[in-house]
Amino acid sequence: MSNYEPHAWALSYFEKCRNALLPTPLNLAPDLSDSELNQLFLSMLSSRLLDLRSRLLQAKGQSFYTIGSSGHEANAAVAAQLRVTDPAFLHYRSGAFFIERSKQLPGSTPIYDLLLSFTASSDDPISGGRHKVLGSLALAIPPQTSTIASHLPKAVGTAFAIDLAKRLQLPGQWPNDAIALCSFGDASANHSTAQGAINAASWADYQHLPVPILFLCEDNGLGISTPTPCGWIQHSLSPHMQTFSADSRDLNQVKLAAQAAATFVRTQRKPALLHLKTFRLFGHAGADAEVAYRRKQQIEGELEQDPLLYASALLLARNLHTPTSLAQCAETLDQQIARVADAACSRPKLTSAAAVMHSIIPKPKHLAPLPANAPREEVLNFDKHNLGKAQHMAKLINWTLHEAMAQYPNAVVLGEDVGKKGGVYNVTTQLVQQFGINRVLNTLLDEQSILGLAIGLAQQGFLPIPEIQFLAYVHNAEDQIRGEAATLPFFSNGQYQNPMVIRIAGLGYQRGFGGHFHNDNSFAVFRDIPGILLFCPSNGHDAALLLRQAIQLAKQQQRLVIFLEPIALYMTRDLHQPGDNLWARELPTLDTPLPELGAPAVYPATGDPQLTIISYANGLHLSLQAQQQLAVQGIAVTVLDLRYLIPLDIEKIIQALGAQHKVLIVDECRRRGSLSEELFTALHETKPGFFQLQRLCAEDSFIPLGAAAYTVLPSVAQIIAHAKLLLPQAALATSSTNTELSKELP
């Protein structure tokens, strides 16, 4: 072909084949038929030649990600022992696995698909040009990016969810007898996320809970430049589960080990480890110069251990090829890949921000119908003596969860202590008694595993409602939200989603209890994650409506919603005076309309408003106290409760503000990194020069223990003082200057 340019390694390989300069096979692979061997070889060779073609394309600026599969190609033999309906969460060195699995689905075009991904074409069938990923909806391969173990928790969650769907007799994305595969490297095995996922699988298995997952550790002995100690994987991972081992130079051994491992997991519904000895060739990636950290003799020695060379030698030893025909086969395939690469390079790319962002927010083809509500009397019968009475927020959230669990048969509540204890604050009380241990899951103490389980449940078609006990604890696992759950629609071009409602108890004002880890007043980590929603109710009535709305959005629109619950307001009943019961609410009826998404709640002034306070959660509670005290002084104030914190709907906020241009933002989070920064900026950008703004925030401090906590959080007195700064002196002179400010309630 014209303009055909082979890689230097490919030229050398063709010559080795032509001259039979190949290693002696370790055996003749008696358990592999001729057709099996030929098919595995072609998958392995295709993967290798694609790696090399990607490097040639990169040199021309046409390919953008050169971490390849060279030396790991024997994972094709693992793919051959699994089913196309077994979800596979793949390490980035799994090109041969992907190609081999494609052969189980007639009409697949894996070479073209991978080259479209390498060249970041918008025609890429999995990511739409957003990243080089191995993924396919039809092949049950959710896409991963640079996996450093972050995919293990959701793989464990998926395995658990497969059998949970069977126990609950619910349809799932994967069949009842499916198993999950999760591949990773030996260096990634040391990551705390990997250790946590393996521990979670073992923890569940120890209690005889089915977790049919096959962990595939592809051990090449290196983490970029850091060697893995010899024998470390066996020492660290094998004690946790049944282990099968193979050397990737021996395809017969790989087949038998993979076959035995898959059969064990499928029949026993238990986790297992397949430890596959591999060899990393050509460095970690295209820009990696191995000579900087490895001896030349080491590099050359590993090139001689190349599993592809051993597979090639096996073809000759079995007389399936002559040296000449083998070389010709390889060169013909390389020419074909080069032609396909030319075609892939000519395909369109993403050219606008709108196109790039198109898949950040899931776009279901149709809205899933909502199931009918169960009769409230039956659902809430356990607490019937309280029905019809005003209640605090915690109880109304609890009742709403009961209603949701009855309405949505696939809803699952999960988290530490959510079962018989009913959660730290009794928000999940009586759920397990009513809906059973298969739908109210007490998890181990590991936020990564809780969120990974939620992602796995979502993948299997459940509606997960995970609970994170305290906001500060989510930082242990934030990448499960940021790097896994939120990115999946983006990197799969909307083909995969993670619908769920993550309940998190947090924020401050807890009468000094617990210090920082129980009074974390920063949710900044969520503010820069594209595509998520964050709701934060301030009272029980809104909490019930917003939770219903969050669950509907997850069900119908496949959204990932974070539901931030202010702990200090869980049990609050009073607003202005002890015993006034003004913060207690009745449970909204099931036909109560849901709020307009993004619209703040308005607490109007008594009279012509002189300014507006914007706040949320505890700040809203304090602001309403300030509103009353300012009214006594003749100052009329409107208060807005944001409720919807991410993303801020600035148009709806400005609509609620109306003609009012004096605005005080009361934000209980820290001044640096708080929501007030975005709100302040957005108001100015939307209506330049119109607003006169003030911010009152918490100090840039962690929250201490005891009464000292209130020294770093906004108070009613501070709200009143900041409000007055926005008013002209003439207006202040006509107010009741002799009225003392009432002391704010703690």
Side-chain angles (χ1 to χ4, degrees):
M1 61 177 288
S2 60
N3 301 320
Y4 167 57
E5 177 190 2
H7 191 278
W9 185 91
L11 284 174
S12 173
Y13 171 72
F14 302 154
E15 285 302 304
K16 285 182 178 180
C17 292
R18 194 171 286 114
N19 296 304
L21 298 176
L22 297 169
T24 302
L26 300 181
N27 57 59
L28 291 179
D31 297 289
L32 283 169
S33 68
D34 289 350
S35 61
E36 284 180 302
L37 179 55
N38 259 317
Q39 179 166 302
L40 289 176
F41 168 73
L42 287 174
S43 294
M44 296 171 69
L45 180 60
S46 297
S47 178
R48 177 65 56 85
L49 295 176
L50 281 165
D51 280 358
L52 301 175
R53 186 58 47 186
S54 179
R55 293 186 175 218
L56 291 173
L57 292 172
Q58 186 196 40
K60 299 176 182 179
Q62 296 174 316
S63 179
F64 309 97
Y65 197 91
T66 56
I67 293 181
S69 306
S70 296
H72 286 240
E73 290 90 353
N75 55 36
V78 180
Q81 302 309 311
L82 298 172
R83 302 172 184 170
V84 74
T85 52
D86 292 330
F89 300 84
L90 298 181
H91 183 49
Y92 46 55
R93 300 195 191 279
S94 302
F97 183 107
F98 181 87
I99 294 168
E100 181 65 26
R101 172 165 283 198
S102 298
K103 294 174 181 176
Q104 296 185 38
L105 190 66
S108 296
T109 54
I111 290 174
Y112 184 48
D113 295 348
L114 288 172
L115 282 165
L116 288 171
S117 184
F118 293 176
T119 56
S121 169
S122 55
D123 284 349
D124 168 21
I126 184 60
S127 79
R130 292 170 180 83
H131 207 285
K132 181 261 185 182
V133 291
L134 298 169
S136 166
L137 184 64
L139 297 177
I141 302 176
Q144 318 299 316
T145 57
S146 294
T147 49
I148 308 176
S150 63
H151 60 311
L152 270 73
K154 67 181 181 182
V156 172
T158 297
F160 181 88
I162 289 169
D163 276 62
L164 182 63
K166 180 180 179 181
R167 294 197 295 277
L168 293 172
Q169 298 182 329
L170 293 173
Q173 177 75 16
W174 326 117
N176 289 341
D177 63 347
I179 68 174
L181 174 116
C182 184
S183 64
F184 53 96
D186 50 292
S188 293
N190 298 304
H191 201 285
S192 62
T193 311
Q195 294 291 321
I198 291 167
N199 177 73
S202 302
W203 182 85
D205 177 56
Y206 185 76
Q207 300 173 82
H208 307 293
L209 292 170
V211 189
I213 183 167
L214 178 56
F215 292 107
L216 172 59
C217 182
E218 299 184 32
D219 184 357
N220 62 31
L222 284 168
I224 305 183
S225 68
T226 304
T228 297
C230 184
W232 173 245
I233 294 301
Q234 299 94 313
H235 174 80
S236 64
L237 299 187
S238 292
H240 297 284
M241 67 196 87
Q242 184 76 29
T243 300
F244 304 83
S245 300
D247 186 324
S248 62
R249 296 171 299 178
D250 185 345
L251 285 180
N252 197 75
Q253 189 182 80
V254 177
K255 174 190 173 176
L256 294 178
Q259 187 178 65
T263 300
F264 173 85
V265 175
R266 199 177 305 279
T267 58
Q268 301 300 311
R269 315 308 287 172
K270 296 168 71 69
L273 171 68
L274 176 55
H275 181 209
L276 183 60
K277 173 60 180 172
T278 60
F279 302 87
R280 191 195 73 189
L281 307 180
F282 315 136
H284 174 70
D288 180 30
E290 285 189 289
V291 292
Y293 54 87
R294 302 183 78 195
R295 297 192 306 274
K296 184 179 179 181
Q297 294 88 337
Q298 283 181 303
I299 299 171
E300 292 175 347
E302 286 220 336
L303 286 169
E304 296 303 316
Q305 305 303 314
D306 186 347
L308 181 59
L309 297 182
Y310 278 84
S312 304
L314 188 56
L315 290 173
L316 297 183
R318 293 262 295 257
N319 296 315
L320 298 178
H321 270 291
T322 66
T324 301
S325 69
L326 182 60
Q328 185 59 48
C329 170
E331 189 167 7
T332 299
L333 181 57
D334 193 41
Q335 291 173 352
Q336 175 193 352
I337 288 173
R339 289 194 298 270
V340 176
D342 287 343
C345 288
S346 68
R347 300 309 300 160
K349 306 292 192 294
L350 294 170
T351 57
S352 69
V356 169
M357 298 166 63
H358 177 73
S359 64
I360 288 176
I361 297 174
K363 296 174 178 61
K365 295 179 181 178
H366 58 85
L367 291 179
L370 296 174
N373 289 299
R376 173 172 286 183
E377 294 75 16
E378 295 179 15
V379 176
L380 302 181
N381 186 59
F382 72 96
D383 208 3
K384 61 183 178 181
H385 62 284
N386 281 316
L387 290 178
K389 303 174 185 176
Q391 304 293 335
H392 54 62
M393 183 192 296
K395 186 172 287 291
L396 294 186
I397 293 176
N398 174 257
W399 288 355
T400 305
L401 286 171
H402 275 83
E403 291 177 341
M405 294 284 282
Q407 183 180 8
Y408 301 92
N410 65 335
V412 175
V413 168
L414 61 144
E416 190 196 6
D417 298 321
V418 299
K420 288 184 178 180
K421 178 177 173 58
V424 176
Y425 297 99
N426 296 318
V427 178
T428 58
T429 190
Q430 289 294 313
L431 283 173
V432 72
Q433 288 85 348
Q434 187 160 344
F435 300 102
I437 59 174
N438 286 317
R439 294 188 61 199
V440 183
L441 306 175
N442 256 354
T443 67
L444 71 173
L445 174 55
D446 178 24
E447 286 74 24
Q448 289 181 144
S449 294
I450 293 170
L451 293 173
L453 174 56
I455 297 172
L457 288 166
Q459 296 290 283
Q460 180 62 350
F462 285 96
L463 181 58
I465 308 176
E467 174 182 291
I468 302 297
Q469 281 189 349
F470 293 99
L471 178 59
Y473 295 176
V474 82
H475 304 307
N476 299 319
E478 61 190 48
D479 188 52
Q480 289 301 302
I481 301 174
R482 172 196 294 275
E484 294 296 337
T487 61
L488 190 57
F490 180 73
F491 287 124
S492 68
N493 202 15
Q495 297 172 79
Y496 284 93
Q497 295 92 25
N498 286 305
M500 67 182 72
V501 178
I502 304 174
R503 292 183 44 251
I504 304 175
L507 301 175
Y509 294 97
Q510 295 175 61
R511 293 171 175 80
F513 169 74
H516 164 66
F517 280 99
H518 300 86
N519 280 272
D520 184 2
N521 66 330
S522 175
F523 52 88
V525 63
F526 303 128
R527 291 181 53 228
D528 66 343
I529 303 178
I532 69 168
L533 297 169
L534 190 149
F535 296 178
C536 184
S538 62
N539 61 78
H541 181 271
D542 273 4
L545 293 178
L546 295 182
L547 185 54
R548 290 175 192 169
Q549 188 174 42
I551 293 171
Q552 283 193 19
L553 287 166
K555 169 68 175 176
Q556 290 191 304
Q557 299 183 22
Q558 306 296 291
R559 296 302 298 269
L560 193 164
V561 187
I562 296 172
F563 198 78
L564 182 59
E565 301 167 5
I567 299 171
L569 297 176
Y570 267 153
M571 311 299 177
T572 298
R573 286 181 169 274
D574 305 324
L575 176 56
H576 299 298
Q577 301 295 333
D580 66 19
N581 211 37
L582 292 177
W583 209 246
R585 300 287 192 275
E586 290 190 28
L587 182 67
T589 60
L590 292 172
D591 58 357
T592 301
L594 298 177
E596 183 182 3
L597 185 63
V602 180
Y603 293 81
T606 53
D608 188 20
Q610 294 163 267
L611 77 152
T612 298
I613 298 174
I614 302 178
S615 193
Y616 59 92
N618 296 289
L620 187 277
H621 190 255
L622 299 175
S623 295
L624 291 179
Q625 294 175 28
Q627 180 189 47
Q628 185 196 58
Q629 295 183 31
L630 286 166
V632 171
Q633 300 176 50
I635 301 172
V637 175
T638 297
V639 179
L640 301 187
D641 181 4
L642 289 174
R643 302 188 294 191
Y644 304 96
L645 306 188
I646 300 174
L648 286 176
D649 193 324
I650 296 301
E651 290 186 4
K652 289 188 175 69
I653 294 170
I654 288 179
Q655 183 179 359
L657 286 169
Q660 183 56 251
H661 66 280
K662 297 180 184 294
V663 177
L664 171 62
I665 302 169
V666 177
D667 193 333
E668 64 186 278
C669 292
R670 298 190 279 275
R671 185 172 186 84
R672 187 175 66 246
S674 68
L675 192 70
S676 65
E677 292 179 324
E678 178 184 354
L679 182 56
F680 193 102
T681 302
L683 290 173
H684 265 308
E685 287 179 340
T686 307
K687 298 183 74 172
F690 179 79
F691 293 107
Q692 185 179 345
L693 300 171
Q694 283 278 340
R695 277 200 302 157
L696 171 59
C697 305
E699 299 292 338
D700 286 338
S701 170
F702 300 110
I703 298 181
L705 192 63
Y710 296 97
T711 66
V712 296
L713 294 169
S715 67
V716 173
Q718 289 174 325
I719 295 172
I720 292 171
H722 276 70
K724 289 181 176 180
L725 290 175
L726 285 164
L727 299 176
Q729 293 300 312
L732 290 178
T734 61
S735 67
S736 299
T737 55
N738 295 326
T739 303
E740 288 189 4
L741 295 180
S742 299
K743 292 184 178 179
E744 65 275 12
L745 296 173

